[in-house]
Amino acid sequence: MDDQKHLEHEQNKPEDAERSTENPEEMKQSEENSTEMKIAEKKEIEPKKPEVPKKKLEKGPTKKRASIGKGSILVEPIKRRSFFSWLTLAWVAFTAATGTFFGMMLRFMFPNVLFEPKQTFKAGYPDDYTIGEVTTSLKEKYGVWIIRDTEHIYALSVVCTHLGCTPNWLQNERKFKCPCHGSGFRKSGINFEGPAPRPLERYKIVLADDGQILIDKTKKFAYEKGQWSDSESYLVV
Amino acid sequence: MDLIKSVINTLASPTILFTLIIVTFFFIFPLNDWFYRWNKRLKLDSFWTNRGGIKMFIILLVFFAFGLFDENFRLIVLKPDNVPIVGLIFLVAFFTWLSMKQAVDNDVHIENNENVNEYSDPDDKVLTWPDLVYIELIALVLCTVLLIVWSIGLQAPLEEPANPTLSPNPAKAPWYFLGLQEMLVYFDPWIAGVLFPSLMIVGLMAIPYLDTNKKGVGYYSFKQRMMAVSLYMFGWLVLWVLLIIIGTFLRGPNWNFFGPFEYWDLHKLQPLTNINLSEYVYIIWFSTGMPDNILLREIWGILLILGYFLILPPLFAKTWLKNLYNRLGNFRYSVFIILILFALSMPIKMYLRWMVNLKYIVAIPEYFFNI
C-alpha cells in the first residue's frame, strides 16, 4: 500500500509543476475580485480530468486479481447462463425478504391483545347525572363527557377538533379548554374560542333494555353537518 | 421593582411586543436605501461593533439576572426544558452580531476599494489534515464534554407514561417545534402543519434560484445584498426564533399568554371569543343571518384570499418593487412574491386574531377547509 501511495505522489508531481506555470495568469484574475477567484480555482481542478483514464490503464493488469485478505485469487469470468441463474436467485431472495417484511408489517396491525376500552358501554342510569353538570368521571376510561341539561343527556367526545389533544373541563369558567392551542368549547360542545374549526363531536346515546344509558362510540354526530338533531345523538329525560 | 416588572409584563403582551419588534426590525436590518439612511442616522449600526456587542450582552445578562430574583420568572427560566432556550437567546444574539459585524466591516472595505477580510491568496492553501481535522476533533471533544456535564447537572424532564385522555397543561411541543405550535393557534392544522412547513422548506431551497446576485459569495457583506439579508433575518429571527421564545416563556396553562413575571394562573380568564369573517359580514354588518349555501356564505373570504394572492403581486410589480421585478423577470418574481406573501400572511393573521378576534377568513368546517 505504501508503495502505491508513493507512486501516486510521484505522478502528481508533474501536475503540480503545470499548476505553477499557470499561476501567473490566474494571479491577475484573482486580484480583481474574489468571485473570479473561485472561477480560477475551478480552472485549476479541470486539468486533472484527463489523468483519470491513465491511472486506470496502469492498474489494468492487476485488476483481474481480486484480493481477499493477504493472498489473492483469480476471478473466473461469469458465464451468461450462470449469471441468469444468479439473477433469478437474487430476485427470489429479494421478493421473499420484501414479502416477509410487509407480511410482518401487516401482522403488526392486528395485535393479539388490544388494551382498548369497549367502544360500546353502559354508563349507569339517567338519574345518576345531575342536571346542568358535566360528568368527567368517564373521561379517563372511555373518553367521553356526559352532560345533562334540563331536557337532554348527551355524550361528548374528548378529542379536540383542532389537532386532537384532550381538553379539560374548567368548572369555574364553565368551559372545555384545550391545553395545546387554547381552543375553548361551551358545555354544549360548541367551539367559541381558539383555533378549533368545529364543535366537539357527540356519540350515539340510547337507553338499553335494563334502563341504563348505552353509549356507542362508533357512531358520531357532527354539528356542522346538522347531525345533532338526530334522535340518537341525545337522550330525552 | 414591581413597576419595572409590570412594565415588562405589559410590553410582553403579544400585540405590543410584536408591533414594537416589527416596527424597529427594518431599521436595524434595513430593507432598502431609505431604511439604510435612517439606520445610519439613528446610529443603529453601532450594534455591530465590539462595544455594541458587549452592551447587548450586558443588557441580556442584566435582564436575566434581574429576572432570576422573581419567583415566577425563575420557575420558567430554570425549568430543565427551557434552559436550552435561554442558551438559544444568547447564541442567536451572538452569531447574529458576529456575522453582522464582519459584514459591516467588509462593507467599509468594499467602499474603500480594499480587499474583503475573507480575501486570501489563491496560492496560500490550508491542509485538511491536520489544520481542519484538529479543529473538528477539538470541537467534538468540547461538545461531548458539554453534553455530559449538562446531562449530569440537569434532570431530564421525563414525565409519566403517555395517556391519550390526559394532555398536560400546557402541552408544549419540543422547543424547535414551538414556532409551528404557535402558528397552529392561528391557522387550521393542514395549513400550519402541512402547507407552511413545506413552503418553508421549498422557499429555502428556492433561495439560490431566486437570488442571483453574485455579490457576497464567499465573504460577509450587508450593503451588497441588503434586501436578501434583511428579509431572511425577518423570517428567521421574528417568524421563527421569536415564536419559539414566545412559546417557551410566554405561553402558560390553557395556552394563554402570560408576561415573564406573571404567575401561571390556571384560571386566568382571557376573553377570546373568536368569530369567522362570514359571521362578521352576515351577522354583524348585514345583520341578515347566515345564508345556507356554503359558497355564498364564504364568498367574501374567498374573494379576499384571491385578491391577496392575485392582485397584490402585479400591484407591487408596478409600484415599489418595480426594480426587483425588472431584475428577476416574470417567473422568478412571481415565485418570490408568492412566498413572501405566504410568509407575511402569518403576522397578518396573528394581528387579525389579536385585534378583531377573527378566527378564519374562509371557514368551511363541513369539508375541513379553513383559512
Side-chain angles (χ1 to χ4, degrees), chain A residues 81-218:
Chain A
R81 279 193 196 182
S82 64
F83 175 72
F84 273 115
S85 71
W86 277 110
L87 198 69
T88 320
L89 190 71
W91 269 110
V92 169
F94 175 75
T95 317
T98 322
T100 319
F101 174 72
F102 280 108
M104 284 162 83
M105 289 263 286
L106 203 67
R107 178 68 187 79
F108 183 73
M109 304 287 169
F110 302 96
N112 295 336
V113 189
L114 205 60
F115 296 102
E116 258 175 24
K118 279 183 182 168
Q119 292 291 302
T120 310
F121 56 93
K122 285 181 178 171
Y125 297 96
D127 289 340
D128 297 348
Y129 299 95
T130 36
I131 294 172
E133 288 304 315
V134 175
T135 306
T136 54
S137 57
L138 294 174
K139 180 186 168 189
E140 192 154 334
K141 191 171 180 194
Y142 294 110
V144 289
W145 286 301
I146 296 181
I147 296 124
R148 177 170 181 178
D149 58 21
T150 45
E151 290 158 18
H152 307 110
I153 293 179
Y154 47 88
L156 275 182
S157 152
V158 299
V159 180
C160 178
T161 52
H162 178 235
L163 215 57
C165 289
T166 314
N168 299 305
W169 170 247
L170 303 180
Q171 182 67 29
N172 291 344
E173 290 83 2
R174 312 289 299 166
K175 68 180 178 188
F176 300 104
K177 187 80 177 165
C178 183
C180 289
H181 306 95
S183 296
F185 304 88
R186 293 190 203 288
K187 201 176 71 178
S188 57
I190 298 283
N191 54 326
F192 72 102
E193 57 179 20
R198 306 178 295 125
L200 293 173
E201 281 159 351
R202 291 185 182 182
Y203 291 125
K204 178 180 166 184
I205 183 167
V206 286
L207 269 188
D209 296 336
D210 59 354
Q212 285 203 58
I213 297 171
L214 189 72
I215 293 169
D216 182 3
K217 282 177 71 179
T218 52

Side-chain angles (χ1 to χ4, degrees), chain B residues 5 9 20 44 58 62 80 101 111 137 176 215 284 288 312 343 346 362:
Chain B
K5 282 180 193 173
N9 277 342
L20 273 180
L44 286 174
I58 288 174
V62 165
K101 185 194 162 219
E111 216 163 285
L137 179 76
Y176 43 85
K215 286 172 183 164
I284 295 177
T288 52
L312 285 189
M346 252 292 282
V362 178

Side-chain angles (χ1 to χ4, degrees), chain B residues 143-355:
Chain B
C143 279
T144 316
V145 169
L146 179 78
L147 281 179
I148 290 173
V149 169
W150 188 341
S151 55
I152 291 172
L154 284 177
Q155 294 292 313
L158 294 177
E159 294 170 28
E160 67 268 29
N163 180 353
T165 57
L166 187 75
S167 303
N169 192 7
K172 288 195 180 182
W175 65 266
Y176 43 85
F177 277 151
L178 279 174
L180 282 181
Q181 192 174 4
E182 191 62 33
M183 282 180 4
L184 278 161
V185 176
Y186 308 98
F187 288 98
D188 201 50
W190 71 265
I191 293 188
V194 181
L195 184 71
F196 275 7
S198 334
L199 274 178
M200 276 178 217
I201 295 166
V202 170
L204 287 175
M205 291 191 326
I207 286 177
Y209 302 98
L210 296 175
D211 179 11
T212 48
N213 185 356
K214 287 220 171 54
K215 286 172 183 164
V217 176
Y219 59 95
Y220 286 97
S221 77
F222 181 71
K223 216 187 161 190
Q224 290 186 334
R225 32 194 324 120
M226 200 151 51
M227 197 175 110
V229 172
S230 296
L231 271 182
Y232 180 83
M233 286 315 240
F234 182 74
W236 162 239
L237 290 179
V238 178
L239 296 185
W240 193 249
V241 175
L242 182 70
L243 290 188
I244 289 177
I245 292 168
I246 286 179
T248 312
F249 299 118
L250 305 183
R251 286 293 198 176
N254 297 326
W255 213 247
N256 281 329
F257 269 112
F258 291 87
F261 301 108
E262 207 176 330
Y263 169 67
W264 276 20
D265 183 7
L266 205 64
H267 298 286
K268 181 182 182 179
L269 259 188
Q270 267 184 330
L272 289 170
T273 309
N274 297 322
I275 307 177
N276 290 326
L277 181 72
S278 53
E279 290 161 342
Y280 263 111
V281 171
Y282 287 107
I283 294 175
I284 295 177
W285 296 339
F286 291 179
S287 46
T288 52
M290 303 286 274
D292 286 334
N293 188 311
I294 294 172
L295 197 66
L296 188 67
R297 190 183 73 201
E298 300 302 338
I299 190 74
W300 306 102
I302 294 171
L303 284 179
L304 205 66
I305 297 290
L306 285 181
Y308 181 72
F309 283 110
L310 295 180
I311 295 176
L312 285 189
L315 195 72
F316 286 157
K318 291 246 161 60
T319 55
W320 57 278
L321 290 180
K322 211 189 240 169
N323 292 336
L324 188 82
Y325 177 73
N326 291 335
R327 204 170 68 223
L328 290 183
N330 212 340
F331 180 70
R332 275 212 196 99
Y333 171 79
S334 307
V335 175
F336 168 78
I337 200 75
I338 292 290
L339 286 171
I340 291 292
L341 284 178
F342 265 110
L344 282 183
S345 69
M346 252 292 282
I348 291 174
K349 187 76 192 289
M350 288 163 92
Y351 271 110
L352 286 176
R353 180 66 67 80
W354 293 331
M355 306 298 244

Side-chain angles (χ1 to χ4, degrees), chain B residues 47 49-61 97:
Chain B
F47 278 127
T49 55
N50 282 338
R51 186 176 289 204
I54 290 167
K55 265 186 205 162
M56 271 201 294
F57 180 67
I58 288 174
I59 288 171
L60 268 180
L61 213 60
W97 170 81

Side-chain angles (χ1 to χ4, degrees), chain A residues 20-45:
Chain A
S20 58
T21 53
E22 276 178 23
N23 271 340
E25 283 175 18
E26 285 166 15
M27 291 278 274
K28 278 176 201 166
Q29 287 177 335
S30 58
E31 274 167 17
E32 289 171 22
N33 198 323
S34 65
T35 51
E36 280 174 44
M37 179 186 100
K38 294 234 155 179
I39 301 165
E41 271 183 337
K42 272 184 190 168
K43 275 184 187 169
E44 273 180 46
I45 300 163

